Amino acid sequence: MKSVFGYFNLLFWLCLSSEIFAQKSYLKGTVYADNQPLAHATIQLFPLQKIQITNTQGQYEFTHLPLGTYTLKVSLVGYQPITREIHIATEDTLTQNFYLQPDNLQLHQVVVTATRGEVPQYDAPVLVNTISKRTFETTQSLTLVEGLTFSPGLRIENNCQNCGFTQVRMNGLAGAYSQILINNRPIFSALASVYGLEMLPTAMIDRIEVVRGAGSVLYGGNAIAGTLNILTKEPIENGFEVAANHAFTNLQTPDFTLQANASLVSQDLEKGITFYTYHRNRTPWDANQDGFSELTKLQNYTFGMEAFWNTSSRSKWKTGLFYINEFRRGGSDFDRLPHQAQIAEQLKHHIYSTNISYEWLSKNLKHKISPYISAQWIHRDSYYGSGGRILLPNEPLTQSDSLALNAYGQSKDLSATLGGQYNFAISNKINLTAGTEYLLSQVKDEMLGYQRQIRQSVNTWGNYAQIELKPIPQLTWLLGSRVDWLNLNGTYQLIDQQHQDKLSLLVFVPRLSVMYSLHKNWKLRASWAKGYRAPQAFNEDLHTETVGGAAKFIQLAPNLNPETSQTTMFSVNHSSFEGNLQYNFIAEGFYTYLRNPFILTQPFELPNGVSVITKRNGEGAVVKGINLEWNMAYNRTWLWQMALTAQTARYVQPEIIWQSIDNQDNRQPTITQNLLRTPNLYGYVQTTYNLNKQISLSYSGVWTGQMQVPHMIEPETEYTILKTTPTFFEHNLKLNTTWKVGKHQQLQIATGIQNALNSFQRDFDVGIQRDASYIYGPVRPRTFFVSVKYGMQ
């Protein structure tokens, strides 16, 4: 018994002595910005891989730390990070306070699109541009399409007077060459992208990350020109915001928007939810008083939410959903039913989207597993027709009446993504990213009155791997590859022509990128990548327009081959983040070769009045040029951003755009070697001057150079010529005032004018026989606006 008692006595003293001699210490402090405590800052402690988030008083604390040397890294979006080495020599409490400086150029914020992992934008081995909330506010951009103008290499265009079909061009390539992601997932389907750029309000967007150049390695097909990643808002702190904007197109036609959002976050910052809603009502606008609209009637109702739950310090659930109900109509006779109008293009969309994801980190923070699932469902009712009228009682129907009555259609679209990603920080010099994902795309597009039907199902299983190597601190290599197994099953019918496509395709796409830091202020980047587009229906194929009084459809040529690309890019980046003046300059050259490019050609009209244009393969095309970008900020007083793109986009041999069908027309075929609707020079400038904390002035300008556009001038033969457009320079001005209302609320009142000098197309076609696709240049004329915003932060 004594021996047992002695054993426990010895064990007690050993445990006590271990506590005494372990010499544990404490580390605490406060993070400040502008002499105010800063909440939500991240404190990382290396090599123990511990993380703390500052509380509402800006405080953090690490407990029971062994004696030794550590590295602390403090970071928060909107501020420059600080890294500091500390030494704990005694078992006492060590206090370390930090004073963060603003990141006025936002180059230290974390981006995820370049490597599919979190990395500071300035240190990303692939060049990434961001379009932030600040840009949306400065330029008074209320929808996604308006904000995309202000990123290097991007250009927005309107492709239809009747329905307002818009697309974004990246480095000279059309919209279908860019992959659009929502929260890193490719669920923004072909049908959604026809009008979706104008549907998504900036009220739901936190930022947009833009990666130019082929990104098919990480995100699959279509990412030939680049990738647009729309990251929706996440709750960060409690607050709300309500805003109204009243604009007048051409200083006369009203366009009203109302939006609101609110966030709730738990006191321990472990759970949060944000809601947003948006409403828009725009009256149609007629530019030349011919009775036919150039800007559509538009009504939009959007609602959505995002939520997160940190189930532990190393695991996180995220979920979100949104619903869009949009009605748009263009043409004439808006007081009549669509089939009674001379021309009507009317669409009503119901879009449902949801996502859920989970993130898990190992204890040593070296392993990260991220499963996810996303889905989007679209129901679209449409009408594309012309020649309608109000019938008298018992009046017999003509062929034109029958065609107008049967021009209604319906589309259904399902997109879903299921996948998982694994990240392994093998060492501070080697990082591995690997993943697998299954993508489903099913679309059914029917217009039975025109005997036109598309039924298409595309199943893609993709597997990718990427390794990041840092053999020396100045050099980063990024090597990746992806294998996609694509199965396509489609039926395409137009009148009496029908063909079926069954395709099984195995695609291998590699990517190689390198970044070298010549100096802390100089970086060189280079990359080479392959991309592809499968021979399937894309957004332009699901768009119908009325040209020359006839509905115009796109049909896919039988045996359409996949389109592939090779892209090479090189950039020089010079930056300075010290002192009051911060600046960033980038010169980026790009070269893309397209093999079997998809070309729209050979329009012709069927006996029943339906116009048809065929999508076929061309021989090849080359797009090459340079992007120049210059950003500068002086304190928080003055911000300047400018970008210019100079490029050429040409087919390797002349391609036929139009030729006579029956060979009885003596006109020569219309040919071109230029990619159409692509200017050789375009860019933007944006600047903001803060007079004080209450008043700011903003200016932005958008330059669009000359380009070739097709113009159908003879409806009977579909005779199409090429015209060279003039140059355009839009000037936008905004005055913003901010007033404190109480302790935490503020009121903003802003007014301004967009496209102040009315740099806008002057030669629209007129009447029912007009070519609705003959539209180019800025997407809106001179527009005056006034806005009011009230919120709490």
Side-chain angles (χ1 to χ4, degrees):
M1 190 67 162
K2 289 182 180 181
S3 62
V4 174
F5 177 81
Y7 172 81
F8 279 106
N9 189 44
L10 177 61
L11 183 61
F12 169 81
W13 285 107
L14 286 174
C15 292
L16 181 61
S17 62
S18 65
E19 290 295 322
I20 293 173
F21 294 106
Q23 293 187 314
K24 300 284 186 176
S25 186
Y26 294 82
L27 174 64
K28 68 177 184 178
T30 305
V31 178
Y32 297 92
D34 299 323
N35 295 319
Q36 296 295 323
L38 199 59
H40 311 294
T42 300
I43 318 294
Q44 295 175 277
L45 183 67
F46 301 101
L48 295 183
Q49 310 291 358
K50 290 189 175 184
I51 297 177
Q52 288 286 320
I53 306 295
T54 57
N55 59 23
T56 53
Q57 286 76 45
Q59 299 169 341
Y60 72 92
E61 183 179 31
F62 293 98
T63 60
H64 298 95
L65 298 178
L67 304 185
T69 301
Y70 300 94
T71 299
L72 278 172
K73 182 177 181 181
V74 183
S75 61
L76 181 64
V77 174
Y79 297 90
Q80 298 184 44
I82 294 178
T83 300
R84 181 184 299 173
E85 188 174 280
I86 63 171
H87 184 70
I88 300 177
T90 61
E91 57 167 351
D92 201 352
T93 299
L94 180 64
T95 300
Q96 290 286 309
N97 297 329
F98 294 87
Y99 297 84
L100 298 186
Q101 298 299 315
D103 180 19
N104 294 321
L105 297 180
Q106 299 181 340
L107 295 178
H108 292 92
Q109 65 181 337
V110 170
V111 293
V112 296
T113 311
T115 62
R116 214 157 180 168
E118 296 183 351
V119 59
Q121 180 179 343
Y122 182 66
D123 296 325
V126 177
L127 200 59
V128 182
N129 289 93
T130 59
I131 306 173
S132 66
K133 179 182 178 181
R134 183 174 65 186
T135 299
F136 297 148
E137 292 182 347
T138 299
T139 60
Q140 199 64 14
S141 298
L142 303 178
T143 63
L144 171 64
V145 71
E146 297 170 4
L148 289 177
T149 301
F150 300 97
S151 185
L154 269 60
R155 192 178 68 83
I156 298 298
E157 65 181 29
N158 188 347
N159 294 139
C160 182
Q161 293 168 263
N162 289 334
C163 68
F165 165 41
T166 56
Q167 64 172 311
V168 56
R169 288 181 176 265
M170 188 181 300
N171 281 357
L173 293 173
Y177 288 91
S178 299
Q179 180 70 281
I180 298 179
L181 312 173
I182 297 181
N183 293 325
N184 306 310
R185 315 300 176 220
I187 62 167
F188 201 69
S189 66
L191 185 64
S193 61
V194 178
Y195 305 104
L197 297 180
E198 198 173 16
M199 289 183 192
L200 296 177
T202 55
M204 66 180 283
I205 300 173
D206 176 63
R207 68 184 187 276
I208 304 167
E209 295 184 1
V210 181
V211 178
R212 296 182 297 273
S216 295
V217 167
L218 294 180
Y219 300 107
N222 306 347
I224 287 179
T227 305
L228 298 173
N229 192 3
I230 303 165
L231 299 168
T232 55
K233 288 183 175 178
E234 288 188 19
I236 298 177
E237 57 186 353
N238 294 331
F240 73 88
E241 188 176 84
V242 180
N245 183 83
H246 205 164
F248 296 90
T249 305
N250 202 35
L251 307 183
Q252 58 187 6
T253 306
D255 183 357
F256 177 76
T257 62
L258 179 66
Q259 60 187 33
N261 61 76
S263 297
L264 294 172
V265 180
S266 63
Q267 191 170 4
D268 60 3
L269 307 179
E270 300 297 340
K271 295 180 283 293
I273 188 168
T274 186
F275 299 93
Y276 54 84
T277 184
Y278 170 84
H279 168 63
R280 183 178 189 182
N281 190 352
R282 183 177 73 188
T283 302
W285 177 68
D286 180 3
N288 48 18
Q289 307 304 312
D290 67 340
F292 298 86
S293 66
E294 271 67 49
L295 292 182
T296 62
K297 175 182 177 64
L298 194 62
Q299 293 177 334
N300 182 303
Y301 299 90
T302 298
F303 172 81
M305 58 80 67
E306 293 286 333
F308 75 90
W309 180 22
N310 293 326
T311 51
S312 73
S313 61
R314 296 179 290 102
S315 60
K316 182 177 185 177
W317 285 94
K318 294 171 61 177
T319 186
L321 60 87
F322 65 82
Y323 166 69
I324 298 177
N325 180 342
E326 195 214 56
F327 171 89
R328 64 173 58 216
R329 178 173 169 177
S332 65
D333 306 302
F334 289 88
D335 57 335
R336 301 181 183 180
L337 294 172
H339 62 267
Q340 296 174 335
Q342 296 180 73
I343 288 181
E345 295 188 18
Q346 177 177 298
L347 302 109
K348 187 167 185 178
H349 289 81
H350 296 275
I351 301 179
Y352 307 84
S353 181
T354 186
N355 67 85
I356 186 169
S357 63
Y358 176 72
E359 296 177 358
W360 175 85
L361 280 168
S362 63
K363 288 184 178 181
N364 60 6
L365 305 185
K366 290 182 175 292
H367 304 272
K368 181 178 179 181
I369 298 175
S370 308
Y372 55 85
I373 183 170
S374 303
Q376 181 178 268
W377 167 256
I378 303 176
H379 180 98
R380 183 181 82 176
D381 293 313
S382 61
Y383 180 88
Y384 295 95
S386 64
R389 61 192 179 98
I390 298 178
L391 297 173
L392 299 175
N394 300 318
E395 183 180 359
L397 296 177
T398 65
Q399 182 180 0
S400 178
D401 294 331
S402 299
L403 197 59
L405 282 168
N406 290 286
Y408 290 91
Q410 189 177 90
S411 307
K412 296 179 180 180
D413 179 274
L414 173 65
S415 299
T417 303
L418 174 65
Q421 181 172 302
Y422 170 66
N423 297 83
F424 179 25
I426 301 173
S427 69
N428 59 353
K429 295 183 178 182
I430 305 175
N431 288 283
L432 172 68
T433 299
T436 183
E437 61 184 3
Y438 170 74
L439 290 82
L440 170 67
S441 174
Q442 292 182 340
V443 62
K444 179 182 178 182
D445 187 44
E446 293 182 326
M447 301 188 73
L448 299 181
Y450 291 116
Q451 301 178 52
R452 186 248 197 174
Q453 185 179 89
I454 294 177
R455 292 172 178 262
Q456 179 178 273
S457 176
V458 182
N459 297 269
T460 306
W461 180 33
N463 296 276
Y464 58 89
Q466 178 176 265
I467 190 164
E468 183 178 1
L469 303 173
K470 297 182 179 180
I472 56 176
Q474 302 95 324
L475 181 64
T476 302
W477 288 93
L478 199 65
L479 299 92
S481 63
R482 182 186 181 104
V483 177
D484 276 356
W485 182 28
L486 183 145
N487 283 282
L488 182 148
N489 192 344
T491 302
Y492 312 95
Q493 177 182 338
L494 182 60
I495 316 298
D496 57 349
Q497 301 180 23
Q498 177 177 316
H499 71 272
Q500 290 187 335
D501 280 344
K502 288 188 176 182
L503 177 68
S504 184
L505 193 65
L506 189 66
V507 183
F508 172 76
V509 283
R511 179 172 80 170
L512 172 64
S513 301
V514 61
M515 179 180 71
Y516 184 75
S517 298
L518 294 170
H519 182 267
K520 67 176 182 178
N521 295 337
W522 288 91
K523 291 182 183 292
L524 302 178
R525 294 180 177 92
S527 66
W528 172 85
K530 297 185 71 173
Y532 78 97
R533 287 208 298 163
Q536 64 189 80
F538 291 100
N539 54 355
E540 67 268 26
D541 311 313
L542 301 174
H543 166 240
T544 305
E545 60 194 12
T546 306
V547 177
K552 182 178 180 180
F553 296 104
I554 294 174
Q555 68 174 5
L556 304 183
N559 302 317
L560 190 66
N561 292 317
E563 181 177 11
T564 59
S565 71
Q566 294 193 48
T567 298
T568 303
M569 307 184 76
F570 177 80
S571 66
V572 179
N573 188 182
H574 178 51
S575 305
S576 176
F577 308 113
E578 300 175 359
N580 293 327
L581 184 65
Q582 302 177 14
Y583 63 86
N584 182 53
F585 174 78
I586 298 174
E588 176 191 54
F590 58 90
Y591 180 95
T592 298
Y593 173 74
L594 300 175
R595 184 172 179 268
N596 296 325
F598 298 151
I599 297 175
L600 299 178
T601 185
Q602 197 51 54
F604 62 94
E605 187 170 315
L606 299 176
N608 67 347
V610 172
S611 177
V612 178
I613 189 168
T614 302
K615 173 182 280 190
R616 63 171 177 83
N617 291 116
E619 290 298 321
V622 172
V623 180
K624 57 185 178 180
I626 185 171
N627 291 310
L628 300 176
E629 179 184 358
W630 182 34
N631 302 325
M632 187 165 59
Y634 181 76
N635 286 333
R636 292 183 174 176
T637 304
W638 181 57
L639 175 69
W640 169 278
Q641 296 177 291
M642 185 176 71
L644 181 69
T645 298
Q647 64 173 52
T648 61
R650 294 173 62 83
Y651 297 111
V652 295
Q653 68 178 32
E655 297 287 353
I656 297 175
I657 304 302
W658 176 92
Q659 67 179 359
S660 176
I661 298 296
D662 53 15
N663 295 320
Q664 296 179 0
D665 198 318
N666 293 324
R667 295 189 182 99
Q668 294 295 316
T670 301
I671 62 174
T672 184
Q673 201 165 347
N674 296 318
L675 271 67
L676 300 181
R677 308 184 69 90
T678 301
N680 290 336
L681 194 66
Y682 56 96
Y684 72 90
V685 60
Q686 175 190 337
T687 184
T688 299
Y689 181 72
N690 297 309
L691 280 74
N692 49 48
K693 292 183 178 180
Q694 284 76 41
I695 302 175
S696 65
L697 293 171
S698 299
Y699 165 80
S700 60
V702 180
W703 170 271
T704 304
Q706 292 182 329
M707 56 184 164
Q708 277 192 331
V709 297
H711 186 196
M712 191 276 294
I713 60 174
E714 190 176 281
E716 293 79 10
T717 62
E718 301 278 346
Y719 179 48
T720 301
I721 63 173
L722 297 177
K723 296 193 70 173
T724 299
T725 69
T727 59
F728 296 94
F729 198 176
E730 303 169 67
H731 300 276
N732 312 303
L733 297 167
K734 179 180 179 180
L735 170 65
N736 187 76
T737 60
T738 304
W739 308 95
K740 283 287 186 181
V741 181
K743 186 176 181 180
H744 299 290
Q745 294 84 26
Q746 65 180 21
L747 175 68
Q748 291 184 10
I749 301 176
T751 186
I753 189 166
Q754 296 162 313
N755 200 355
L757 300 183
N758 205 29
S759 183
F760 198 66
Q761 182 177 349
R762 308 289 184 186
D763 63 340
F764 290 110
D765 283 353
V766 298
I768 193 172
Q769 295 291 317
R770 71 178 185 173
D771 179 359
S773 63
Y774 182 60
I775 182 171
Y776 55 84
V779 297
R780 65 183 160 212
R782 181 189 291 117
T783 300
F784 170 79
F785 69 87
V786 59
S787 67
V788 178
K789 183 187 297 183
Y790 177 74
M792 180 188 76
Q793 293 291 337

